[in-house]
Amino acid sequence: MKIARIPAVGAELPIGKILCIGRNYVGHIKELGNETPAAPVIFMKPATSVIGDGDEIVIPPYSANCHHEAELALLIGTGGKDIPVDKALSHLAGYGVAIDLTLRDVQDELKKKGLPWEIAKGFDTACPLSDFVPASTVADPQQLQIRLTVNGTLRQDGSTSLMIHSVAQIISHISSIFTLEPGDIILTGTPAGVGPLVPGDRVCAEISEVGSLTVTVT
């Protein structure tokens, strides 16, 4: 069983659903040549895809193009259905750092055929995830800087202020489709700058006021 931890308050929650938002930053939409969606694009990762700080990414043999996507992660502390936007942040237990690993070549082929993305997004080790900080310690989740380096070279440098759909809007929208439960995790999308990883790479993602996460590629 995979566990989400908030060390500052000694809290632990078994990880439930991992609900991910795609195409939530204009810059990332443009760099992949996608259309801007009218509503949040939602996909899922299994809890078995989670690895922690210091762990290793294993790129599956069926892909030759694995990309990094640094993201703000949300940990649900209080469940709910049809959560109003103005109440959404009160359902959070914490904020964390995530890397949404994507097998871009596999995803592109699936998209061409109109098929789901899960084998490109949910493979083992596809969701590096940090511990969480208490939600109460983050003054404004829409004013956080997201940075990712590969072998010390800056690849991604963006702000959550650039989100198309805010954290509160994402929680509200997702809860209109899926009942949210304690331990569920939401990944909120990635800013521009995504790129390929190869064996031997050291990947570091950090979000201001939240924390950092370092993993390597085997």
Side-chain angles (χ1 to χ4, degrees), residues 99-209:
I99 303 173
D100 170 17
L101 294 174
T102 304
L103 306 178
R104 194 70 68 198
D105 50 352
V106 176
Q107 184 191 39
D108 287 346
E109 286 302 311
L110 293 168
K111 286 164 64 177
K112 288 177 186 176
K113 298 174 183 177
L115 297 173
W117 301 350
E118 272 69 20
I119 64 172
K121 290 279 196 177
F123 58 94
D124 290 351
T125 78
C127 189
L129 185 67
S130 73
D131 285 338
F132 290 79
V133 298
S136 60
T137 66
V138 175
D140 183 352
Q142 302 308 144
Q143 296 296 326
L144 304 176
Q145 200 70 17
I146 301 176
R147 293 165 56 90
L148 181 140
T149 62
V150 178
N151 303 322
T153 299
L154 185 64
R155 291 269 189 94
Q156 292 185 267
D157 189 5
S159 169
T160 55
S161 65
L162 300 173
M163 286 183 179
I164 297 171
H165 306 284
S166 71
V167 168
Q169 289 169 337
I170 289 168
I171 295 168
S172 178
H173 179 74
I174 287 179
S175 75
S176 72
I177 303 165
F178 305 99
T179 296
L180 291 174
E181 300 174 309
D184 286 349
I185 290 171
I186 299 172
L187 306 190
T188 56
T190 194
V194 304
L197 297 173
V198 297
D201 281 346
R202 179 180 173 86
V203 188
C204 301
E206 59 180 345
I207 300 178
S208 58
E209 300 182 46

Side-chain angles (χ1 to χ4, degrees), residues 31-47:
E31 71 183 352
L32 294 186
N34 292 321
E35 295 182 1
T36 301
V41 174
I42 302 171
F43 59 94
M44 300 177 73
K45 290 177 181 273

